[in-house]
């Protein structure tokens, strides 16, 4: 993701995941966010100045949009697999 390395996964507890953001060159931890209300994070990607983390456990999909500079301002989208995505994708940086 450019200047950053982003990773995600799950914990030993059900319905919990995590996302970590590190600097790409030095590997320093910028932030680590524990996520609740979804399963383990199965996909992470950069969308502009935010990180998108996705978790899927049939029949639900959960996406967290986490601003890089202000992770505490994250937003969450929960939907069923069969519901269409209405929001527009943000341009990739």
């Amino acid at each position: 993701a450019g200047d950053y390395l982003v990773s995600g996964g799950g914990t030993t507890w059900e319905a919990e995941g995590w996302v970590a953001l590190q600097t790409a060159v030095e590997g320093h931890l910028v932030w680590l966010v524990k996520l609740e209300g979804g399963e383990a994070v199965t996909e992470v990607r950069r969308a502009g100045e935010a990180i998108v983390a996705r978790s899927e456990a049939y029949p639900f999909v959960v996406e967290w949009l986490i601003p890089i500079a202000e992770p505490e301002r994250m937003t969450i989208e929960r939907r069923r697999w069969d519901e269409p995505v209405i929001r527009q994708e943000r341009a990739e940086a």
Side-chain angles (χ1 to χ4, degrees), residues 61-81:
V61 174
V62 181
E63 286 189 347
W64 292 269
L65 180 66
I66 310 168
I68 292 172
E70 298 177 282
E72 68 278 5
R73 298 194 62 181
M74 82 172 92
T75 57
I76 304 167
E77 177 184 309
R78 290 183 179 92
R79 61 178 162 53
R80 295 182 61 86
W81 275 44

Side-chain angles (χ1 to χ4, degrees), residues 22-38:
Q22 297 172 268
T23 58
V25 176
E26 301 89 8
H28 295 158
L29 182 65
V30 177
W31 48 252
L32 173 68
V33 177
K34 179 181 161 229
L35 306 169
E36 296 179 355

Side-chain angles (χ1 to χ4, degrees), residues 6-17:
V6 63
S7 55
T11 70
T12 56
W13 294 92
E14 189 171 339
E16 287 187 352

Side-chain angles (χ1 to χ4, degrees), residues 40-44 52-56 61-64 79 87:
V41 172
T42 56
E43 177 186 338
V44 289
V52 176
R54 180 182 175 100
S55 131
E56 299 179 17
V61 174
V62 181
E63 286 189 347
W64 292 269
R79 61 178 162 53
R87 64 178 163 70

